[in-house]
């Protein structure tokens, strides 16, 4: 998945999903949302949101990252 100008949100589902984000001044604040068991942010992506009910591990990059977690509930 490749981002464009402005803020981008990537939903990483499969193990082979790749996020490619530019580093220009118009690349915005970018976020990866994933329920993968482990995920490391790639270059130029600022935020990571972990989802699901299973244990997950998130790793940031050299930027000032923000991470959050959301759990899925069934009503």
């Amino acid at each position: 998945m490749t981002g464009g100008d402005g803020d981008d949100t990537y939903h990483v589902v499969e193990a082979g999903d790749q996020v490619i984000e530019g580093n220009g001044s118009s690349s915005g604040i970018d976020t990866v949302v994933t329920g993968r068991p482990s995920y490391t942010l790639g270059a130029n992506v600022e935020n990571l949101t972990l989802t699901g009910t299973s244990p997950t591990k998130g790793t940031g990059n050299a930027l000032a990252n923000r991470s959050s977690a959301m759990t899925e509930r069934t009503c």
Side-chain angles (χ1 to χ4, degrees), residues 41-67:
L41 283 177
N44 307 314
V45 179
E46 291 79 12
N47 302 325
L48 176 60
T49 300
L50 301 172
T51 64
T53 57
S54 300
T56 58
K57 175 184 176 185
T59 304
N61 57 28
L63 300 176
N65 303 129
R66 183 174 119 182
S67 62

Side-chain angles (χ1 to χ4, degrees), residues 11-52:
H11 293 269
V12 174
V13 178
E14 302 295 328
D17 289 349
Q18 294 182 339
V19 173
I20 301 168
E21 182 59 44
N23 64 353
S25 62
S26 62
S27 66
I29 304 296
D30 307 301
T31 302
V32 168
V33 178
T34 187
R36 301 284 311 149
S38 178
Y39 191 82
T40 300
L41 283 177
N44 307 314
V45 179
E46 291 79 12
N47 302 325
L48 176 60
T49 300
L50 301 172
T51 64

